[in-house]
Structure formats: C-alpha cells, structure tokens
C-alpha cells in the first residue's frame, strides 16, 4: 500500500526443514497503450547459498582459533596468509612475512638436509608431505614442528599454492630425549 518494497530473506518451514527464499520485484511498464503497469516478481531459493556462507564463516573461525600454526603460500612458496597461532609462536606478524618464503626466516641451520630435500621434491611435484623440522622464532629460540603440507587447487583443479599446518612438538621431543637419557643412564653406570 505504501509503495515501499521490503527486502530480506523469507523463511518457510517445509517437511525437508527450513528453506530460505529471496524475493525481488521490479516495476513493469505497460507494453501497450491503455495497459496498466505491472510488477515482475522473482522468488529464488537461497538456502544452499546461505548454508555455504555459514559453513565458510565457521571454517574461518576454526582456522583463526586453531592452536596449530597455519600458513597459506602461493606456488612460489611465498606467504599469502598466516593465522594468529603462527604469529604468536614465531613472533612475526602477517604484515612482516607476507610475500616471503618461510624458510628465509624460520629455518634452523641444523635442519636435516635430507628432510629439506624431501620437502622440496614433494612441493615441486605438488604432492602432500609430512616432516618434523626444527625452526627458529624471531628471538632465535629453537622449536620443533610437525609439518603437514597439502597442495591447494582452484575450482578448475589447477594448483594455486600450498596449505601448511604446523604442530609445535618441542615438548614431545624434549620428553622423548629425557626418556632416552634416563634409559641409557643405568647402562652407562655398569
């Protein structure tokens, strides 16, 4: 009656659950003399779009809150994005590392060359890879990570980068070394 349009989702409960719809309307001018103007209405089911946006939002929240260090790089292995756990563990912010190769500032000089070669070969072949590596944080402190790298593909299946998830295993390695030392102690005393 007022000539104003209302925009927003329309929600219906169906036997399959809740469905979300979007209504659009446009004035239709008369096509013949003397014909009254009309309206064109379009009703579109946006349930799947809404569910996808919600899922993307939830996944983003999970990645943001993860305690694992997450790094997204391009095919050139230069950083595009890191999460808050990466920033907290390494002491580097995204602004400082964007565009850099993680090896430039994280690699421990004592990292096993065979492990590094295996990592490079897997990345060159665009294959998933797992390894344990020592890294150095901004202050030079050594820490160990279990590194899992997966290639990332675009909608057409073309590789576009890598996703690296790093779990800090420093405490586990220390505990393992302490157990080994205590197991060897009685043997050394003999």
């Amino acid at each position: 009656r007022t000539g104003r349009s209302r925009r927003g989702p329309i929600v219906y409960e169906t036997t399959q659950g809740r469905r979300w719809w979007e209504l659009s309307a446009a004035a239709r001018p008369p096509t013949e003399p003397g014909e009254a103007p009309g309206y064109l209405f379009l009703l579109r089911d946006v349930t799947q779009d809404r569910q996808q946006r919600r899922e993307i939002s939830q996944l983003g929240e999970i990645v943001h809150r993860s305690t694992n260090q997450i790094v997204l790089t391009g095919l050139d292995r230069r950083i595009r994005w890191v999460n808050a756990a990466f920033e907290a563990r390494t002491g580097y912010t995204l602004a400082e590392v964007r565009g850099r190769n993680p090896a430039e500032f994280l690699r421990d000089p004592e990292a096993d060359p065979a492990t590094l070669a295996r990592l490079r070969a897997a990345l060159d072949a665009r294959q998933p890879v797992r390894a344990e590596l020592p890294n150095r944080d901004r202050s030079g402190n050594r820490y160990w990570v279990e590194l899992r790298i997966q290639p990332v593909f675009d909608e057409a299946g073309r590789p576009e980068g890598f996703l690296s998830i790093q779990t800090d295993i420093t405490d586990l390695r220390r505990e393992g070394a302490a157990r080994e030392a205590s197991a060897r102690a009685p043997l050394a005393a003999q």
Side-chain angles (χ1 to χ4, degrees), residues 1-7 25-27 38-39 41:
R1 286 194 143 143
T2 63
R4 288 188 233 154
S5 65
R6 180 178 172 270
R7 186 160 179 100
Y39 291 93
F41 294 95

Side-chain angles (χ1 to χ4, degrees), residues 103-113 116 133-137 140-142:
E104 293 174 8
F105 57 94
L106 292 178
R107 180 166 301 144
D108 185 299
E110 297 175 25
D112 177 42
L116 297 175
L133 283 176
N135 278 343
R136 297 280 176 174
D137 65 18
N141 299 314
R142 185 182 215 202

Side-chain angles (χ1 to χ4, degrees), residues 4 21 45 50 93 145 165 179:
R4 288 188 233 154
W21 300 83
D45 185 344
R50 190 173 178 89
T93 65
V145 293
I165 300 176
R179 278 192 302 275

Side-chain angles (χ1 to χ4, degrees), residues 92-106:
Y92 294 99
T93 65
L94 173 59
E96 293 172 299
V97 300
R98 183 178 278 133
R100 295 177 66 189
N101 184 313
E104 293 174 8
F105 57 94
L106 292 178

